[in-house]
Amino acid sequence: MVQPDEHASARDNDPGDLLSTLEVIEAQPLPTRSDAYDALHDTLARRLEATPAAPSAS
């Protein structure tokens, strides 16, 4: 099984990389997909939390 965060590299901000990851997940058997989507969610949440907050416009 390929975990989404196993291929983290300079391509992290490439939307095509996310699409490739989703294609890999969708090709897996149903029971495996759940774990893969969970790992993808964790990876994306960590990246979002690590991104500096944009200043709010008042």
Side-chain angles (χ1 to χ4, degrees), residues 22-43:
L22 292 172
E23 288 173 352
V24 169
I25 292 172
E26 283 297 314
Q28 297 177 9
L30 188 58
T32 307
R33 279 188 236 166
S34 176
D35 292 334
Y37 276 122
D38 189 42
L40 177 61
H41 174 270
D42 291 344
T43 299

Side-chain angles (χ1 to χ4, degrees), residues 7-30:
H7 298 290
S9 68
R11 300 179 307 163
D12 281 345
N13 294 324
D14 180 10
D17 190 45
L18 176 58
L19 293 175
S20 297
T21 300
L22 292 172
E23 288 173 352
V24 169
I25 292 172
E26 283 297 314
Q28 297 177 9
L30 188 58

